[in-house]
Amino acid sequence: MHVLYEDAGKLKAETIFSEADTSLQVESASGKRSKIKRNAVLFTFEQPAPDTLLPAAETLAATLDAGFLWECAPQQEFEAAALAEEYFGHAPDAVEKTATILALSAAPAYFHRRGKGAFRPAPPDILQAALAAIEKKRRQAELQAEWTEALLAGTLPDALKPVAATFLDRPDKNTLEWKAFDAAVQQSGISPERLLLSLGVWPHPLAMMRDRFLSAHFPRGTQWPPVEVQDWGADLPQAEVEAYSLDDASTIEIDDALSVSIPAPGTVRVGIHIAVPALAVTRGSALDEQARARMSTVYMPGDKIPMLPRELIAAFSLDEGQWRPALSLYVTGRVADGEILEAETRLERIRVAANLRHGRIDEVTEAALADPAAPLPHAHWLRPLWQLAQALCAVRDRTRGKPENNDRIEYGFEIDGPPDDPDSIVRLVPRQRNAPLDRLVAEYMILANTQWGALLARHGVPGIYRSQQMGRTRMSTQALPHESIAVPQYIWSTSPLRRYVDLVNQGQILAAAEHGVSARLAAPFKPKDADLYALIGAFDSQYTLWGEFQSSMERYWCIRWLQQQGLKEVRAHVLRENLVRLACAPFVTRINGLPEYERGHEVRLDILGYDEIGLDIECRLREAG
């Protein structure tokens, strides 16, 4: 005797080996024995053999029409065996009963299961709704398959055009459009980016990169609402100083300027003047909320997305010939040993004499700065600044125990043409990090950030500090040492037109300068303000995102530059293992199979190809230097 039973929702047919009151022991065709509960049994049979029952029943079940069965079935609960008898017109055999059970189970829209071998036909209204849903699903499956076929053939269906750009970063995976695209990706074996580009969703990789970034982080666009410009700081005292700024040619946000005087032989008095947008961007204002949403200016070759509205930048930028409010730090230092003899912070108005630009006075050398007789533009301004800057740098070097390593070449990117056109000509402009003018400006920015950090700490006013200890750089509200810069405390406060942290710190510095010991009660952020801690985390995260996008865009334009130059062979220097940095461009790549060389070892590479989507180049080792 054999038995048909259910096991985990599946039908099984096996031979009965032994029986008990509530259970059976059955044996499969392979000889394996198992114990089943009696209430799992559908029926017993003698013919055919168990291993042939289910295949025969499945064949027969495929011929049974679910709609006809539904019409034949009673409108109340029934046994499958009873319906089989009525359908076949005779007492059904094991195959017919099993086929009926299989057919009913395979048609849940028509029949609802009510237990072991029992079913109930779906009410007519519910059946019609279920059949409509099934038909809709069938049509959707056909449409999805049609779209996938079109994608594989290189055509973007009209229905996918409005949403195709969202497939990379913010797809709705429940839609037919996404499922069709995902199926095309799986079947084609290429990356989603390459498939979308081949379909013309974007005209080129540069458009894809920019659109993905802007859609993710600036979904409402990069424009600001209109800003009502006021004459901020009009009542501030005017400082009679001769100040100059020094920036790249493309800089529109002039954050800082320097002035200098000689109060006594051997001393230099330097004015470090910083644009002061904190007068307009006050905590909790609409401008503050918008600036906080951006956290920083976004930079990319040939383009930028300012942190502040352009009207506000124009109102506070230290443009030449214009009276502008400034937060000024005046320090008097001794040239012989770099000791700061006096420091004073003032809120005032200044008029910058000229906005000097790198590239126009780059002929300035250390030798010219050191030789009073050498021709030097703006010598009366540059030479005293250079003398004290050297002394300040020497103090930091002694604290650090070694000179600062700033001998790397940095590159600026100049784009001739629209920054969103890959055919625009790109120029890489090298500049030595330790060039005299860069070192001079950097030294005074370090001085201002150190002095103002000390001012906040001295008055108990919280600020956002940058510290470095044991090689780890982090931001916090504690005035801790920065080891690589070799200063006891350090904040970002000299770029308030470009970074939100500087803007926040500037508001705290203004309070400290005005209120002194009571500043902690008047500052925008009070001690232990939880929002200040939240701001640090948000800034770190967003500033990292902006930096990663800038790096990606620079890699893209490096690849374009290599192609435009027609370079087939380049020199590179080993960083570690198979990682190298090109000598002609700020580009790092991996060379598979590179032998082990010491760091800095020069190699020659053949360029085999460019990948503007993966932002890499394919190279092979030509020879070691």
Side-chain angles (χ1 to χ4, degrees), residues 400-449:
R400 188 172 36 243
K402 60 180 180 180
E404 194 167 6
N405 183 16
N406 277 332
D407 58 352
R408 268 187 55 189
I409 295 177
E410 290 189 343
Y411 289 84
F413 291 77
E414 295 182 357
I415 308 294
D416 287 343
D420 57 355
D421 183 353
D423 293 326
S424 295
I425 303 301
V426 57
R427 292 194 303 274
L428 301 182
V429 183
R431 195 167 81 209
Q432 200 78 26
R433 283 186 65 186
N434 64 350
L437 295 182
D438 287 292
R439 288 160 54 192
L440 183 148
V441 173
E443 201 61 53
Y444 288 111
M445 297 307 106
I446 291 172
L447 179 62
N449 288 327

Side-chain angles (χ1 to χ4, degrees), residues 326-329 344-348 452 455-456 458-459 461 505-520 522-523:
L327 181 62
S328 300
L329 174 67
E344 179 187 7
T345 298
R346 297 181 189 170
L347 180 59
E348 58 190 10
W452 278 333
L455 176 69
L456 294 183
R458 189 164 57 247
H459 293 302
V461 177
N505 280 333
Q506 187 174 79
Q508 301 297 92
I509 295 166
L510 287 172
E514 180 180 357
H515 298 283
V517 294
S518 62
R520 58 188 302 170

